[in-house]
Amino acid sequence: MQKFGDNGNEFWWNDDEGDLIYIGICILAFAGLICFMIHVHLDLFGLFLTSCCSLFFGICAVKLIYLRIKKIPMLYMNEKGIELRGRFISWDWITEVTKKRVPKHYEIKEKYQIAIYYYVPGKKRKKKSGILPPQEEIQELKEYINAYWKYYKNQ
């Protein structure tokens, strides 16, 4: 789902189907690992490893559900900057917006993400944030981000 604001200075995008799939996968993995820990006798290392994995999937599911409840879009842009999953990035901080191949050795069809490289004031290292939209929307979203970035940079 993508939308423009009333006067064209806002844009937001959210992948509702992808979010539901990720939430389902995380909840099923969390429940499966908990059942695995209950029914299979594990040594201390196996118990620790399974607990860490189930905690990871549980936290991912809670975060995705929280973002949906609070109606925080995956991508939001306005004249001040861009927000990716609630994390604000000013237009002046961005150094590069690219389409980057997602490394998956088992995929038949290549997947790409939109990667945004930026510097936060006071930090020395370059940071990267990215979104993984459906492949048919990736070029259009990249063009929107570039257009907003070029228009609002240094204003």
Side-chain angles (χ1 to χ4, degrees):
M1 169 191 77
Q2 49 181 299
K3 273 187 173 172
F4 283 99
D6 294 334
N7 57 1
N9 65 347
E10 291 180 307
F11 175 81
W12 55 92
W13 173 83
N14 209 4
D15 186 11
D16 295 328
E17 293 175 9
D19 281 353
L20 289 175
I21 290 171
Y22 290 139
I23 289 170
I25 289 171
C26 288
I27 289 173
L28 287 175
F30 177 74
L33 286 170
I34 295 296
C35 290
F36 180 75
M37 284 187 342
I38 292 171
H39 294 294
V40 175
H41 179 67
L42 298 170
D43 61 346
L44 190 60
F45 179 72
L47 187 65
F48 174 74
L49 189 63
T50 310
S51 299
C52 288
C53 290
S54 63
L55 185 65
F56 171 75
F57 283 115
I59 290 171
C60 288
V62 167
K63 181 178 179 185
L64 289 170
I65 291 169
Y66 172 79
L67 291 175
R68 285 184 67 91
I69 289 173
K70 292 291 187 178
K71 294 186 168 84
I72 297 173
M74 196 171 287
L75 170 70
Y76 174 76
M77 298 185 292
N78 62 12
E79 63 271 355
K80 295 177 185 165
I82 185 171
E83 282 188 33
L84 293 172
R85 291 177 296 283
R87 179 177 293 146
F88 177 77
I89 303 167
S90 174
W91 293 119
D92 297 332
W93 302 350
I94 296 176
T95 58
E96 183 181 7
V97 177
T98 61
K99 183 171 110 173
K100 186 176 177 187
R101 186 176 166 277
V102 177
K104 292 203 175 198
H105 62 279
Y106 58 85
E107 286 281 332
I108 295 171
K109 185 178 169 186
E110 289 186 341
K111 280 189 157 184
Y112 290 92
Q113 72 172 343
I114 298 173
I116 299 172
Y117 296 93
Y118 62 97
Y119 285 105
V120 178
K123 304 284 182 180
K124 294 180 182 175
R125 290 182 39 197
K126 185 189 263 190
K127 292 188 172 195
K128 182 190 108 167
S129 286
I131 56 172
L132 190 63
Q135 299 305 300
E136 58 272 2
E137 294 181 21
I138 197 159
Q139 189 61 35
E140 182 181 10
L141 282 174
K142 184 178 175 285
E143 288 172 4
Y144 287 151
I145 293 171
N146 273 327
Y148 270 78
W149 177 39
K150 295 207 185 323
Y151 185 76
Y152 287 118
K153 183 171 56 170
N154 298 322
Q155 279 192 355

